[in-house]
Amino acid sequence: MSAEDLENYETEMELALYREYRDVVGLFSYVVETERRFYLANQVDLQVRSAAGEVYFELRLADAWVWDVYRSARFVKSVRVVTFKDVNVEELSKAELAL
């Protein structure tokens, strides 16, 4: 497999992922971004925690979809994320979900 073949394969995978996102985005109410992942979810619980003087975020998602080109099963029942980085949670109106 050449470098060009690999690049074409990755491009096709990313395009397929975008198409899947476009097809499922209407099923979800929230968009969640962390430093490592992008999620769609129907339930979001974000808690600010502290331990030993450090502040961190604990994020729990239910009924979620994960934007990850290398993941074969992107629909997940629940997700727990613990991070020291920023977390962005947006609740979307159904009008915003129409592409």
Side-chain angles (χ1 to χ4, degrees):
M1 179 179 258
S2 71
E4 184 178 336
D5 290 338
L6 183 57
E7 187 173 319
N8 288 339
Y9 173 76
E10 289 177 347
T11 300
E12 286 298 319
M13 293 292 292
E14 289 173 7
L15 183 58
L17 181 61
Y18 170 75
R19 288 179 179 145
E20 183 178 331
Y21 166 82
R22 186 186 61 201
D23 291 342
V24 303
V25 68
L27 302 173
F28 298 94
S29 300
Y30 297 92
V31 172
V32 180
E33 293 177 86
T34 69
E35 79 277 6
R36 297 193 65 208
R37 295 278 192 274
F38 176 88
Y39 302 91
L40 298 172
N42 282 319
Q43 293 179 338
V44 177
D45 179 35
L46 177 62
Q47 300 292 321
V48 179
R49 308 271 192 217
S50 64
E54 296 287 333
V55 174
Y56 64 95
F57 302 98
E58 182 176 1
L59 178 65
R60 292 183 183 269
L61 309 175
D63 187 24
W65 182 88
V66 184
W67 180 287
D68 187 340
V69 72
Y70 300 107
R71 192 179 173 102
S72 61
R74 286 184 271 278
F75 288 96
V76 291
K77 185 176 181 177
S78 64
V79 176
R80 179 177 177 251
V81 177
V82 177
T83 181
F84 290 94
K85 307 275 184 165
D86 291 341
V87 175
N88 183 41
V89 178
E90 297 179 29
E91 184 174 8
L92 300 175
S93 68
K94 292 302 178 185
E96 289 175 319
L97 295 176
L99 294 177

